[in-house]
Amino acid sequence: MEIPTETPIKKPKRLTSVVWNHFERVRKADICYAVCVHCKKKLSGSSNSGTTHLRNHLLRCLKRSNYDVTQILAAKRKKKDPTLAVVTYEEGQRKEETISPVTTFKFDPEVKKEEVNVPINLGSVRFDQERSRLDLARMIMLHGYPLAMVDHIGFKIFVKNLQPQFEVLTNSAVELDCMTIYAKEKQKMYEAIHNLHGRISLSADVWDSSENARYMCLTAFYIDEDWKLQKKMLNFITLDPSHTDDILSEVVIKSLTDWTIDRKLFSMTFDHCTGYEELIFRIKDWLSQNRPLLKNGELFDVRCAVQLMKSIVSDVMEAIRDVTHKVRESIRHVKSSQVTLGKFNEIAQQAAISGERPLILDCGQQWSSTYLMLEAALDYRGAFCLLEEHDPTYTSALSETEWDHASAVAGYVKLFVEVTNVFTTNKYSTANIYFPEICDIHIQLIEWCKNPDNFLSDIALKMKEKFDRYWSKCSLTLAIAAILDPRFKMKLVEYYYPQIYDSDAPNQIKAVSDAIRELSNEYAMGSSSLDPDTAGASGSLASTTIGTRDRLRGFDKFLHETSQSHNMTSDLDKYLEEPVFPRNYDFSILNWWKVHTPRYPILSMMARDILGVPASTLGPELAFNNRGRVLDHHRSSLNPGAREALICGQDWLRMESEEYNSPHIYTAVPLTVESNLIGGSFNQDTSSRYVVPPWECGGGGQGIVSYEPGIFTSFPRGGVRGKGCVQMWCYEKMYLSTCLINV
């Protein structure tokens, strides 16, 4: 006999036991059944049967053996122990003074009526106190929560009502767990750095705190084996107020030694444009004792470009402080009352001022807001001049000369705002983007210095003096990075230098060309490879083996010079002789070099190190801020070891979390090319041709466009005709290799 279709019935309001989250109540004829959602076994579901047999079944259910039964057991215990109750926040507040960190909170297994129909997953694993402890410590570290949150009564109540078995830890216990996580993550970081084939660049940033303490943060920048730019914090060092430059250098050197990266170091970037000369000198001197620096250390000292912008703008704002004060007071006067504001708006309409941009007052912490205030005030310049005639209480009027100065300075600062936005748009910017922007500033400074107004020309001269110090240290590094951008190569240097150096441009261009060739030769001779005794940093190599390799180091150099130097040097020549790559907005230089590494094996090693140099260390949150980095109170109050563990650990966990959550935008996708479908034979030819997408070279409806220097060949999508190249690997909009097709 056919059994009637079983239809779920709506749970009555009295079905509030947690056990019903694991049973479906169905009716067949006049009989109610409780069907286990795990094993589908039918049990009595009558309201007169109670729930004891259901609880007992769940404890025996094999298909539910992996689920936590804590709440079910707690429900049974509640019947035996009527003293169990939910701890509410109000009750917790009243008892806060008497609750100890290990106070036992009671848990109510019964759910609220409105939650009856909400499915609850009690977990896929049994409760693990140790794992939960580390999860809590990881959460505190990742999100920067204060350690003291575990002492907060609200947190204790929340956790105990969520999981009664969890033992709330003390502040010091959580700190120890954080230190455990830090040690584990530090070992992972150490291994990642020492498995890296390329070099590392460091940034050294100085932090402050409200307690007037100072800290130095050392951060490693490098491009990994997958050609992704990485930024990892290495140390957060508490500085003693008595520290001098020589002590600071010892602090940095100790960090390099602890991480054993002194032989992998390519450059260091400081966020201050002035000072630290003695610090840099001592570090370079110590490094050169163990191993000569590339290009005699000319590329080692890099200054933060965004910090340069901030420093120059600060000097400019100080020079026109009186003018800025008058503008600020003028705006305050206009906004002092509705009557004055209405009168000002009428005057603005009479002066034919559209008033699209409202008047604003600047914020003392943001220098960009002062620029916006000046820009808005300049739009109402005519109205302010008329206001002086109609309002005798207006006493902050600017003269025509002062308005001219404000206009000129606003133009100066506008350029720095635009350039700073370019530098801080991307989270991590490779070094190739800085050269054209810095060159534009250089050219503008030359023009501003020619201003016939002595006041403005003096400001421009002071700006250029500070800029020239930066240019003398960083221009070569930025120029080489730009040359390693296939869209620019030497052409960008040849474009900018005549505008900067005038008649001396050929000599300066030759100096850059010689420098990149010299650097390429150093890489070709093996100077970029790791030292043999650093390859065995773990101590796995025997001392006799290391000694043997040391004795043969000269032979390695001889071998490169006699048998490979010519081919390695032609690597750069081949790259420079080929046409520049077409510029487009979604171009990724790291993807380009990843694809072309087989074609330029030595040059790609150099590009990896140069492009990873942090030409700027300030993000958008600090780029326009007049203050520097300030450590919050709860972290500045920790001991130095815990402070470093929490801050560095947060950086590592955050990077790991972002890498896990962010999708991989660029993925190498193999394309299968079958000769029987195309009707041709394939000969590998990656040395003289490479594929350029049709959207890059104006291919229009063509399927594939390839070219040699001066030769363009296209093939229709419908089939291949003639002789040319087809892509074998597609890397988003770049291609890994090509094949020569003869049809």
mmCIF file with all atom_site columns, all heavy atoms in Angstrom, residues 692-708:
data_model
loop_
_atom_site.group_PDB
_atom_site.id
_atom_site.type_symbol
_atom_site.label_atom_id
_atom_site.label_alt_id
_atom_site.label_comp_id
_atom_site.label_asym_id
_atom_site.label_entity_id
_atom_site.label_seq_id
_atom_site.pdbx_PDB_ins_code
_atom_site.Cartn_x
_atom_site.Cartn_y
_atom_site.Cartn_z
_atom_site.occupancy
_atom_site.B_iso_or_equiv
_atom_site.pdbx_formal_charge
_atom_site.auth_seq_id
_atom_site.auth_comp_id
_atom_site.auth_asym_id
_atom_site.auth_atom_id
_atom_site.pdbx_PDB_model_num
ATOM 1   N N   . VAL A 1 692 ? 52.058 40.150 -29.919 1.00 0.00 ? 692 VAL A N   1
ATOM 2   C CA  . VAL A 1 692 ? 51.447 41.347 -29.361 1.00 0.00 ? 692 VAL A CA  1
ATOM 3   C C   . VAL A 1 692 ? 49.948 41.259 -29.622 1.00 0.00 ? 692 VAL A C   1
ATOM 4   O O   . VAL A 1 692 ? 49.536 40.991 -30.737 1.00 0.00 ? 692 VAL A O   1
ATOM 5   C CB  . VAL A 1 692 ? 52.016 42.622 -30.012 1.00 0.00 ? 692 VAL A CB  1
ATOM 6   C CG1 . VAL A 1 692 ? 51.327 43.844 -29.450 1.00 0.00 ? 692 VAL A CG1 1
ATOM 7   C CG2 . VAL A 1 692 ? 53.512 42.692 -29.782 1.00 0.00 ? 692 VAL A CG2 1
ATOM 8   N N   . PRO A 1 693 ? 49.120 41.420 -28.609 1.00 0.00 ? 693 PRO A N   1
ATOM 9   C CA  . PRO A 1 693 ? 47.672 41.314 -28.802 1.00 0.00 ? 693 PRO A CA  1
ATOM 10  C C   . PRO A 1 693 ? 47.172 42.341 -29.810 1.00 0.00 ? 693 PRO A C   1
ATOM 11  O O   . PRO A 1 693 ? 47.728 43.437 -29.913 1.00 0.00 ? 693 PRO A O   1
ATOM 12  C CB  . PRO A 1 693 ? 47.104 41.601 -27.402 1.00 0.00 ? 693 PRO A CB  1
ATOM 13  C CG  . PRO A 1 693 ? 48.242 41.373 -26.466 1.00 0.00 ? 693 PRO A CG  1
ATOM 14  C CD  . PRO A 1 693 ? 49.473 41.726 -27.220 1.00 0.00 ? 693 PRO A CD  1
ATOM 15  N N   . PRO A 1 694 ? 46.116 42.021 -30.545 1.00 0.00 ? 694 PRO A N   1
ATOM 16  C CA  . PRO A 1 694 ? 45.602 42.951 -31.551 1.00 0.00 ? 694 PRO A CA  1
ATOM 17  C C   . PRO A 1 694 ? 45.136 44.271 -30.973 1.00 0.00 ? 694 PRO A C   1
ATOM 18  O O   . PRO A 1 694 ? 45.235 45.302 -31.602 1.00 0.00 ? 694 PRO A O   1
ATOM 19  C CB  . PRO A 1 694 ? 44.436 42.164 -32.195 1.00 0.00 ? 694 PRO A CB  1
ATOM 20  C CG  . PRO A 1 694 ? 44.094 41.108 -31.196 1.00 0.00 ? 694 PRO A CG  1
ATOM 21  C CD  . PRO A 1 694 ? 45.368 40.755 -30.515 1.00 0.00 ? 694 PRO A CD  1
ATOM 22  N N   . TRP A 1 695 ? 44.618 44.248 -29.717 1.00 0.00 ? 695 TRP A N   1
ATOM 23  C CA  . TRP A 1 695 ? 44.139 45.503 -29.119 1.00 0.00 ? 695 TRP A CA  1
ATOM 24  C C   . TRP A 1 695 ? 45.302 46.411 -28.737 1.00 0.00 ? 695 TRP A C   1
ATOM 25  O O   . TRP A 1 695 ? 45.101 47.564 -28.425 1.00 0.00 ? 695 TRP A O   1
ATOM 26  C CB  . TRP A 1 695 ? 43.269 45.222 -27.912 1.00 0.00 ? 695 TRP A CB  1
ATOM 27  C CG  . TRP A 1 695 ? 43.903 44.341 -26.905 1.00 0.00 ? 695 TRP A CG  1
ATOM 28  C CD1 . TRP A 1 695 ? 44.752 44.696 -25.910 1.00 0.00 ? 695 TRP A CD1 1
ATOM 29  C CD2 . TRP A 1 695 ? 43.748 42.925 -26.804 1.00 0.00 ? 695 TRP A CD2 1
ATOM 30  N NE1 . TRP A 1 695 ? 45.144 43.605 -25.193 1.00 0.00 ? 695 TRP A NE1 1
ATOM 31  C CE2 . TRP A 1 695 ? 44.540 42.500 -25.704 1.00 0.00 ? 695 TRP A CE2 1
ATOM 32  C CE3 . TRP A 1 695 ? 43.021 41.978 -27.519 1.00 0.00 ? 695 TRP A CE3 1
ATOM 33  C CZ2 . TRP A 1 695 ? 44.620 41.168 -25.327 1.00 0.00 ? 695 TRP A CZ2 1
ATOM 34  C CZ3 . TRP A 1 695 ? 43.097 40.666 -27.127 1.00 0.00 ? 695 TRP A CZ3 1
ATOM 35  C CH2 . TRP A 1 695 ? 43.893 40.265 -26.054 1.00 0.00 ? 695 TRP A CH2 1
ATOM 36  N N   . GLU A 1 696 ? 46.542 45.875 -28.751 1.00 0.00 ? 696 GLU A N   1
ATOM 37  C CA  . GLU A 1 696 ? 47.698 46.689 -28.425 1.00 0.00 ? 696 GLU A CA  1
ATOM 38  C C   . GLU A 1 696 ? 48.303 47.345 -29.666 1.00 0.00 ? 696 GLU A C   1
ATOM 39  O O   . GLU A 1 696 ? 48.938 48.382 -29.575 1.00 0.00 ? 696 GLU A O   1
ATOM 40  C CB  . GLU A 1 696 ? 48.775 45.835 -27.742 1.00 0.00 ? 696 GLU A CB  1
ATOM 41  C CG  . GLU A 1 696 ? 48.355 45.230 -26.427 1.00 0.00 ? 696 GLU A CG  1
ATOM 42  C CD  . GLU A 1 696 ? 48.156 46.292 -25.376 1.00 0.00 ? 696 GLU A CD  1
ATOM 43  O OE1 . GLU A 1 696 ? 48.594 47.432 -25.582 1.00 0.00 ? 696 GLU A OE1 1
ATOM 44  O OE2 . GLU A 1 696 ? 47.523 45.998 -24.368 1.00 0.00 ? 696 GLU A OE2 1
ATOM 45  N N   . CYS A 1 697 ? 48.177 46.694 -30.824 1.00 0.00 ? 697 CYS A N   1
ATOM 46  C CA  . CYS A 1 697 ? 48.862 47.201 -32.026 1.00 0.00 ? 697 CYS A CA  1
ATOM 47  C C   . CYS A 1 697 ? 47.898 47.531 -33.140 1.00 0.00 ? 697 CYS A C   1
ATOM 48  O O   . CYS A 1 697 ? 48.268 47.554 -34.315 1.00 0.00 ? 697 CYS A O   1
ATOM 49  C CB  . CYS A 1 697 ? 49.876 46.168 -32.501 1.00 0.00 ? 697 CYS A CB  1
ATOM 50  S SG  . CYS A 1 697 ? 51.227 45.934 -31.357 1.00 0.00 ? 697 CYS A SG  1
ATOM 51  N N   . GLY A 1 698 ? 46.657 47.764 -32.783 1.00 0.00 ? 698 GLY A N   1
ATOM 52  C CA  . GLY A 1 698 ? 45.699 48.167 -33.811 1.00 0.00 ? 698 GLY A CA  1
ATOM 53  C C   . GLY A 1 698 ? 45.324 47.043 -34.745 1.00 0.00 ? 698 GLY A C   1
ATOM 54  O O   . GLY A 1 698 ? 45.071 47.267 -35.925 1.00 0.00 ? 698 GLY A O   1
ATOM 55  N N   . GLY A 1 699 ? 45.295 45.793 -34.231 1.00 0.00 ? 699 GLY A N   1
ATOM 56  C CA  . GLY A 1 699 ? 44.974 44.660 -35.077 1.00 0.00 ? 699 GLY A CA  1
ATOM 57  C C   . GLY A 1 699 ? 43.520 44.612 -35.494 1.00 0.00 ? 699 GLY A C   1
ATOM 58  O O   . GLY A 1 699 ? 43.162 43.904 -36.422 1.00 0.00 ? 699 GLY A O   1
ATOM 59  N N   . GLY A 1 700 ? 42.683 45.358 -34.805 1.00 0.00 ? 700 GLY A N   1
ATOM 60  C CA  . GLY A 1 700 ? 41.268 45.397 -35.160 1.00 0.00 ? 700 GLY A CA  1
ATOM 61  C C   . GLY A 1 700 ? 40.639 44.029 -35.082 1.00 0.00 ? 700 GLY A C   1
ATOM 62  O O   . GLY A 1 700 ? 40.588 43.412 -34.044 1.00 0.00 ? 700 GLY A O   1
ATOM 63  N N   . GLY A 1 701 ? 40.184 43.517 -36.230 1.00 0.00 ? 701 GLY A N   1
ATOM 64  C CA  . GLY A 1 701 ? 39.523 42.228 -36.256 1.00 0.00 ? 701 GLY A CA  1
ATOM 65  C C   . GLY A 1 701 ? 40.471 41.064 -36.377 1.00 0.00 ? 701 GLY A C   1
ATOM 66  O O   . GLY A 1 701 ? 40.033 39.933 -36.533 1.00 0.00 ? 701 GLY A O   1
ATOM 67  N N   . GLN A 1 702 ? 41.752 41.301 -36.361 1.00 0.00 ? 702 GLN A N   1
ATOM 68  C CA  . GLN A 1 702 ? 42.704 40.216 -36.508 1.00 0.00 ? 702 GLN A CA  1
ATOM 69  C C   . GLN A 1 702 ? 42.797 39.408 -35.226 1.00 0.00 ? 702 GLN A C   1
ATOM 70  O O   . GLN A 1 702 ? 42.674 39.930 -34.132 1.00 0.00 ? 702 GLN A O   1
ATOM 71  C CB  . GLN A 1 702 ? 44.082 40.778 -36.881 1.00 0.00 ? 702 GLN A CB  1
ATOM 72  C CG  . GLN A 1 702 ? 44.062 41.689 -38.117 1.00 0.00 ? 702 GLN A CG  1
ATOM 73  C CD  . GLN A 1 702 ? 43.544 40.966 -39.347 1.00 0.00 ? 702 GLN A CD  1
ATOM 74  O OE1 . GLN A 1 702 ? 43.791 39.789 -39.513 1.00 0.00 ? 702 GLN A OE1 1
ATOM 75  N NE2 . GLN A 1 702 ? 42.816 41.669 -40.194 1.00 0.00 ? 702 GLN A NE2 1
ATOM 76  N N   . GLY A 1 703 ? 43.047 38.119 -35.374 1.00 0.00 ? 703 GLY A N   1
ATOM 77  C CA  . GLY A 1 703 ? 43.119 37.263 -34.205 1.00 0.00 ? 703 GLY A CA  1
ATOM 78  C C   . GLY A 1 703 ? 44.452 37.329 -33.509 1.00 0.00 ? 703 GLY A C   1
ATOM 79  O O   . GLY A 1 703 ? 44.529 37.345 -32.308 1.00 0.00 ? 703 GLY A O   1
ATOM 80  N N   . ILE A 1 704 ? 45.554 37.373 -34.271 1.00 0.00 ? 704 ILE A N   1
ATOM 81  C CA  . ILE A 1 704 ? 46.886 37.395 -33.690 1.00 0.00 ? 704 ILE A CA  1
ATOM 82  C C   . ILE A 1 704 ? 47.721 38.409 -34.454 1.00 0.00 ? 704 ILE A C   1
ATOM 83  O O   . ILE A 1 704 ? 47.684 38.473 -35.672 1.00 0.00 ? 704 ILE A O   1
ATOM 84  C CB  . ILE A 1 704 ? 47.562 36.011 -33.779 1.00 0.00 ? 704 ILE A CB  1
ATOM 85  C CG1 . ILE A 1 704 ? 46.693 34.953 -33.088 1.00 0.00 ? 704 ILE A CG1 1
ATOM 86  C CG2 . ILE A 1 704 ? 48.943 36.043 -33.180 1.00 0.00 ? 704 ILE A CG2 1
ATOM 87  C CD1 . ILE A 1 704 ? 47.161 33.557 -33.346 1.00 0.00 ? 704 ILE A CD1 1
ATOM 88  N N   . VAL A 1 705 ? 48.438 39.211 -33.728 1.00 0.00 ? 705 VAL A N   1
ATOM 89  C CA  . VAL A 1 705 ? 49.351 40.168 -34.355 1.00 0.00 ? 705 VAL A CA  1
ATOM 90  C C   . VAL A 1 705 ? 50.721 39.939 -33.752 1.00 0.00 ? 705 VAL A C   1
ATOM 91  O O   . VAL A 1 705 ? 50.879 39.932 -32.543 1.00 0.00 ? 705 VAL A O   1
ATOM 92  C CB  . VAL A 1 705 ? 48.912 41.628 -34.111 1.00 0.00 ? 705 VAL A CB  1
ATOM 93  C CG1 . VAL A 1 705 ? 49.934 42.581 -34.702 1.00 0.00 ? 705 VAL A CG1 1
ATOM 94  C CG2 . VAL A 1 705 ? 47.549 41.874 -34.725 1.00 0.00 ? 705 VAL A CG2 1
ATOM 95  N N   . SER A 1 706 ? 51.716 39.715 -34.576 1.00 0.00 ? 706 SER A N   1
ATOM 96  C CA  . SER A 1 706 ? 53.075 39.542 -34.084 1.00 0.00 ? 706 SER A CA  1
ATOM 97  C C   . SER A 1 706 ? 53.989 40.438 -34.893 1.00 0.00 ? 706 SER A C   1
ATOM 98  O O   . SER A 1 706 ? 53.654 40.858 -35.991 1.00 0.00 ? 706 SER A O   1
ATOM 99  C CB  . SER A 1 706 ? 53.524 38.087 -34.214 1.00 0.00 ? 706 SER A CB  1
ATOM 100 O OG  . SER A 1 706 ? 53.599 37.723 -35.576 1.00 0.00 ? 706 SER A OG  1
ATOM 101 N N   . TYR A 1 707 ? 55.142 40.745 -34.321 1.00 0.00 ? 707 TYR A N   1
ATOM 102 C CA  . TYR A 1 707 ? 56.059 41.573 -35.080 1.00 0.00 ? 707 TYR A CA  1
ATOM 103 C C   . TYR A 1 707 ? 57.483 41.325 -34.654 1.00 0.00 ? 707 TYR A C   1
ATOM 104 O O   . TYR A 1 707 ? 57.773 40.963 -33.534 1.00 0.00 ? 707 TYR A O   1
ATOM 105 C CB  . TYR A 1 707 ? 55.711 43.059 -34.924 1.00 0.00 ? 707 TYR A CB  1
ATOM 106 C CG  . TYR A 1 707 ? 56.039 43.670 -33.603 1.00 0.00 ? 707 TYR A CG  1
ATOM 107 C CD1 . TYR A 1 707 ? 57.261 44.312 -33.384 1.00 0.00 ? 707 TYR A CD1 1
ATOM 108 C CD2 . TYR A 1 707 ? 55.120 43.614 -32.556 1.00 0.00 ? 707 TYR A CD2 1
ATOM 109 C CE1 . TYR A 1 707 ? 57.550 44.882 -32.156 1.00 0.00 ? 707 TYR A CE1 1
ATOM 110 C CE2 . TYR A 1 707 ? 55.398 44.189 -31.340 1.00 0.00 ? 707 TYR A CE2 1
ATOM 111 C CZ  . TYR A 1 707 ? 56.611 44.818 -31.133 1.00 0.00 ? 707 TYR A CZ  1
ATOM 112 O OH  . TYR A 1 707 ? 56.906 45.390 -29.936 1.00 0.00 ? 707 TYR A OH  1
ATOM 113 N N   . GLU A 1 708 ? 58.340 41.502 -35.616 1.00 0.00 ? 708 GLU A N   1
ATOM 114 C CA  . GLU A 1 708 ? 59.761 41.626 -35.381 1.00 0.00 ? 708 GLU A CA  1
ATOM 115 C C   . GLU A 1 708 ? 60.058 43.112 -35.484 1.00 0.00 ? 708 GLU A C   1
ATOM 116 O O   . GLU A 1 708 ? 59.190 43.898 -35.860 1.00 0.00 ? 708 GLU A O   1
ATOM 117 C CB  . GLU A 1 708 ? 60.545 40.852 -36.440 1.00 0.00 ? 708 GLU A CB  1
ATOM 118 C CG  . GLU A 1 708 ? 60.302 39.349 -36.410 1.00 0.00 ? 708 GLU A CG  1
ATOM 119 C CD  . GLU A 1 708 ? 61.067 38.674 -37.525 1.00 0.00 ? 708 GLU A CD  1
ATOM 120 O OE1 . GLU A 1 708 ? 60.663 38.821 -38.673 1.00 0.00 ? 708 GLU A OE1 1
ATOM 121 O OE2 . GLU A 1 708 ? 62.071 38.032 -37.233 1.00 0.00 ? 708 GLU A OE2 1
#
